């Protein structure tokens, strides 16, 4: 979740502080989630997703590993 959260937040050009305010969380807590220092509860996940205007699954979806260049 930490990687997806950071990637989505950066893509939307939102600071941790802005996200925290929109989600009703502290900026320190958002930073801890992004660093994977803490795990977010389902309710916090929903609040973050709503603040980012994304589906909660977008935050927890595991990306498939990329194939090495030149392999097919």
């Amino acid at each position: 979740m930490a990687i997806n959260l950071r990637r989505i937040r950066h893509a939307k050009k939102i600071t941790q502080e802005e996200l925290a305010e929109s989600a009703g969380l502290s900026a320190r807590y958002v930073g801890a989630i992004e660093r994977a220092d803490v795990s977010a509860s389902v309710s916090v996940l929903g609040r973050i997703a709503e603040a980012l205007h994304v589906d909660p699954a977008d935050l927890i979806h595991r990306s498939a590993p990329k194939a090495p260049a030149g392999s097919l």
Side-chain angles (χ1 to χ4, degrees), residues 4-59:
N4 291 338
L5 172 55
R6 186 177 302 118
R7 178 181 49 78
I8 293 168
R9 184 179 60 76
H10 283 177
K12 293 182 176 278
K13 298 183 178 6
I14 298 172
T15 66
Q16 287 182 349
E17 292 79 10
E18 291 167 335
L19 174 58
E21 186 174 326
S22 295
L25 304 167
S26 74
R28 176 175 261 182
Y29 187 47
V30 170
I33 295 169
E34 283 195 2
R35 290 188 306 277
D37 289 342
V38 299
S39 296
S41 66
V42 172
S43 61
V44 168
L45 175 71
R47 289 163 59 181
I48 291 172
E50 187 175 313
L52 290 171
H53 305 289
V54 297
D55 190 276
D58 294 338
L59 293 171

